[in-house]
Amino acid sequence: MREEVDKELLNRINSYIEELFVAPDDALQSALEESKRAGLPEIYVTPVQGKLLQILAGLSGARRILEIGTLGGYSTIWLARALPSGGELISLELEELNASVARKNVDRAGLSGQVEIRVGDAKETLAQMSQNGVEPFDLIFIDADKESYPDYLQWSLRLSRPGSLILADNVIRGGTTLDPVDEASLAIKYFNQLVAGDKRLSAVVLPIIRRRIDGLAIIRVLE
Ligand code: SAH
Ligand code: DHB
Ligand code: MG
């Protein structure tokens, strides 16, 4: 793909927004440092995106949040901080190592009473939750393996209610979604088509500035 964007300007704009609107925070900073120390990949949401997730969660009044893809718990902390007292966040993670790093990070942020991290393939955990008839979630954040996004959308529809908010990270991926180059970009392109074509949903994708331009899908469940 041709590189036409002025990356330096985009990075300056993103830093400008981050410095102006994202206050330095010890727990979030430590979560990034400890994740790095444990060797986790640096693929968490950006600080600006974390702030956006927190605002959207607060705005939606979410009491029950489901996250698919925990990594070191960075986005988990952003989202859980928007919960009212008595609210809860369940986060699904495949790797035991990631989950243990995340639990420590969440604990350091003082959120362990509201956050539960469940280890396993999210598709299995989601099927179990659905089978057990869990209470619907007010907000679902999809951010695990990209190949499974179409599946995660179907599970999210089963585990939500009218008015719920579904958010999905990485739906643009530097533009590879427009011209798929692999299984992951094909799945994301299909995911976006499913979302756009579903009459039960009202959705848009917001571009996100990071290493490459990415996107956050913002999806409201109508019925
Ligand atoms: N939400 C995190 C980043 C998540 S990265 C943040 O922004 O801070 C994606 C995570 O999904 C990784 O930790 C990876 O181990 C996990 N993952 C990948 N496949 C998965 C699966 N099938 N089930 C559950 N988690 C999975
Ligand atoms: C990457 C970024 C992500 O936000 C993610 O969830 C997975 C991978 C990446 O940049 O490779
Ligand atoms: Mg992501």
Side-chain angles (χ1 to χ4, degrees), residues 15-45:
S15 297
Y16 167 78
I17 299 169
E18 183 176 321
E19 282 159 27
L20 197 54
F21 292 101
V22 186
D25 180 276
D26 285 346
L28 286 167
Q29 195 51 43
S30 299
L32 296 182
E33 284 165 13
E34 292 302 316
S35 299
K36 187 169 186 165
R37 194 202 303 275
L40 307 194
E42 296 182 65
I43 55 173
Y44 13 74
V45 295

Coordinates of all heavy atoms in Angstrom, one line a residue, residues 15-45:
S15 N 0.0 13.3 19.8 CA 0.7 13.7 21.0 C 0.0 15.0 21.6 O -0.1 15.1 22.8 CB 2.2 14.0 20.8 OG 2.8 12.9 20.3
Y16 N -0.3 15.9 20.7 CA -1.0 17.1 21.2 C -2.3 16.8 21.9 O -2.5 17.3 23.0 CB -1.3 18.0 19.9 CG -2.3 19.1 20.2 CD1 -1.9 20.3 20.8 CD2 -3.6 19.0 19.8 CE1 -2.8 21.3 21.1 CE2 -4.5 20.0 20.1 CZ -4.1 21.2 20.7 OH -5.0 22.2 20.9
I17 N -3.1 15.9 21.4 CA -4.3 15.5 22.0 C -4.0 14.8 23.4 O -4.6 15.1 24.4 CB -5.2 14.6 21.1 CG1 -5.6 15.3 19.8 CG2 -6.4 14.1 21.8 CD1 -6.1 14.4 18.7
E18 N -3.1 13.9 23.3 CA -2.7 13.1 24.5 C -2.2 14.0 25.6 O -2.7 13.9 26.8 CB -1.7 12.1 24.1 CG -1.3 11.1 25.3 CD -0.3 10.1 24.9 OE1 -0.4 9.5 23.7 OE2 0.6 9.8 25.6
E19 N -1.3 14.9 25.3 CA -0.8 15.8 26.3 C -1.8 16.7 26.9 O -1.8 17.0 28.1 CB 0.4 16.6 25.8 CG 1.7 15.7 25.7 CD 2.7 16.2 24.7 OE1 2.8 17.4 24.5 OE2 3.5 15.4 24.2
L20 N -2.7 17.1 26.1 CA -3.8 18.1 26.6 C -4.9 17.4 27.3 O -5.4 17.9 28.3 CB -4.3 18.8 25.3 CG -5.1 20.1 25.6 CD1 -4.3 21.1 26.4 CD2 -5.5 20.7 24.2
F21 N -5.2 16.2 26.9 CA -6.4 15.6 27.5 C -6.3 14.3 28.3 O -7.2 13.8 28.9 CB -7.4 15.2 26.3 CG -8.0 16.5 25.7 CD1 -7.5 16.9 24.5 CD2 -9.0 17.2 26.3 CE1 -8.0 18.1 23.9 CE2 -9.5 18.3 25.7 CZ -9.0 18.8 24.5
V22 N -5.1 13.7 28.3 CA -4.9 12.5 29.1 C -3.9 12.8 30.2 O -2.7 12.9 30.0 CB -4.4 11.3 28.2 CG1 -4.3 10.0 29.0 CG2 -5.2 11.2 27.0
A23 N -4.4 12.8 31.4 CA -3.6 13.1 32.6 C -2.7 11.9 32.9 O -3.1 10.8 32.8 CB -4.5 13.4 33.8
P24 N -1.4 12.2 33.2 CA -0.5 11.1 33.6 C -1.1 10.4 34.8 O -1.7 11.0 35.7 CB 0.8 11.9 34.1 CG 0.7 13.2 33.4 CD -0.7 13.5 33.3
D25 N -0.9 9.1 34.8 CA -1.6 8.3 35.9 C -0.7 7.1 36.3 O -0.3 6.3 35.4 CB -2.9 7.7 35.3 CG -3.7 6.9 36.3 OD1 -3.4 5.7 36.4 OD2 -4.6 7.4 36.9
D26 N -0.4 7.0 37.5 CA 0.5 6.0 38.0 C 0.1 4.5 37.7 O 0.9 3.7 37.2 CB 0.7 6.1 39.5 CG 1.6 7.3 39.9 OD1 2.2 7.8 38.9 OD2 1.6 7.7 41.1
A27 N -1.2 4.2 38.0 CA -1.6 2.8 37.7 C -1.5 2.4 36.3 O -1.1 1.3 35.9 CB -3.0 2.6 38.3
L28 N -1.9 3.4 35.4 CA -1.9 3.1 34.0 C -0.4 3.0 33.5 O -0.1 2.1 32.7 CB -2.7 4.2 33.2 CG -4.2 4.1 33.3 CD1 -4.8 5.4 32.8 CD2 -4.7 2.9 32.6
Q29 N 0.4 3.9 34.0 CA 1.8 3.9 33.6 C 2.5 2.6 34.1 O 3.2 1.9 33.3 CB 2.5 5.1 34.2 CG 3.9 5.4 33.6 CD 3.9 5.5 32.1 OE1 3.0 6.1 31.5 NE2 4.8 4.8 31.5
S30 N 2.2 2.2 35.3 CA 2.8 0.9 35.8 C 2.3 -0.3 35.0 O 3.0 -1.2 34.8 CB 2.4 0.7 37.3 OG 2.8 1.7 38.1
A31 N 1.0 -0.3 34.6 CA 0.4 -1.4 33.9 C 1.2 -1.5 32.6 O 1.6 -2.7 32.2 CB -1.0 -1.1 33.6
L32 N 1.6 -0.4 31.9 CA 2.4 -0.5 30.7 C 3.8 -1.0 31.0 O 4.3 -1.9 30.3 CB 2.4 0.9 30.0 CG 1.1 1.4 29.5 CD1 1.4 2.8 28.8 CD2 0.4 0.5 28.5
E33 N 4.4 -0.5 32.0 CA 5.7 -0.9 32.4 C 5.8 -2.4 32.8 O 6.7 -3.1 32.3 CB 6.3 0.0 33.5 CG 6.7 1.4 33.0 CD 6.8 2.4 34.2 OE1 6.9 1.9 35.4 OE2 6.9 3.6 33.9
E34 N 4.9 -2.8 33.6 CA 4.9 -4.2 34.0 C 4.6 -5.2 32.9 O 5.2 -6.3 32.8 CB 3.9 -4.4 35.2 CG 4.3 -3.7 36.5 CD 5.7 -4.1 37.0 OE1 6.0 -5.4 37.0 OE2 6.5 -3.3 37.4
S35 N 3.8 -4.8 32.0 CA 3.4 -5.6 30.8 C 4.7 -5.7 30.0 O 5.0 -6.8 29.5 CB 2.3 -5.0 30.0 OG 1.1 -4.9 30.8
K36 N 5.4 -4.6 29.8 CA 6.6 -4.7 29.0 C 7.7 -5.5 29.7 O 8.3 -6.4 29.0 CB 7.1 -3.2 28.8 CG 8.3 -3.1 27.9 CD 8.6 -1.7 27.5 CE 9.7 -1.7 26.5 NZ 9.9 -0.4 25.8
R37 N 7.8 -5.4 31.0 CA 8.8 -6.2 31.7 C 8.5 -7.7 31.6 O 9.4 -8.5 31.5 CB 8.7 -5.8 33.2 CG 9.9 -6.3 34.0 CD 9.6 -6.4 35.5 NE 9.1 -5.1 36.1 CZ 10.0 -4.2 36.5 NH1 11.3 -4.3 36.5 NH2 9.5 -3.0 37.0
A38 N 7.2 -8.0 31.5 CA 6.8 -9.4 31.4 C 6.9 -10.0 29.9 O 6.7 -11.1 29.7 CB 5.4 -9.6 31.9
G39 N 7.3 -9.0 29.0 CA 7.5 -9.4 27.7 C 6.2 -9.5 26.8 O 6.2 -10.0 25.7
L40 N 5.2 -8.8 27.3 CA 3.9 -8.8 26.5 C 4.1 -7.9 25.3 O 4.8 -6.9 25.4 CB 2.7 -8.4 27.4 CG 2.5 -9.1 28.7 CD1 1.1 -8.8 29.2 CD2 2.6 -10.6 28.5
P41 N 3.4 -8.2 24.2 CA 3.6 -7.3 23.0 C 2.9 -5.9 23.3 O 2.0 -5.8 24.1 CB 2.8 -8.1 21.9 CG 1.9 -8.9 22.7 CD 2.6 -9.3 24.0
E42 N 3.5 -4.9 22.7 CA 3.0 -3.5 23.0 C 1.9 -3.2 22.0 O 2.0 -2.4 21.0 CB 4.1 -2.5 22.9 CG 5.1 -2.8 24.0 CD 6.3 -1.8 24.1 OE1 6.0 -0.6 24.3 OE2 7.4 -2.2 23.8
I43 N 0.7 -3.8 22.2 CA -0.4 -3.7 21.3 C -1.7 -3.3 22.0 O -2.8 -3.6 21.5 CB -0.7 -5.0 20.5 CG1 -0.9 -6.2 21.4 CG2 0.5 -5.3 19.5 CD1 -1.3 -7.5 20.7
Y44 N -1.5 -2.6 23.2 CA -2.7 -2.1 23.9 C -3.3 -0.9 23.2 O -2.6 -0.3 22.3 CB -2.4 -1.8 25.3 CG -1.0 -1.7 25.6 CD1 -0.2 -0.7 25.2 CD2 -0.3 -2.8 26.3 CE1 1.2 -0.6 25.5 CE2 1.0 -2.8 26.5 CZ 1.8 -1.7 26.1 OH 3.1 -1.6 26.3
V45 N -4.5 -0.5 23.5 CA -5.1 0.7 23.0 C -4.2 1.9 23.3 O -3.4 1.8 24.3 CB -6.5 1.0 23.6 CG1 -7.5 -0.1 23.1 CG2 -6.5 1.1 25.1

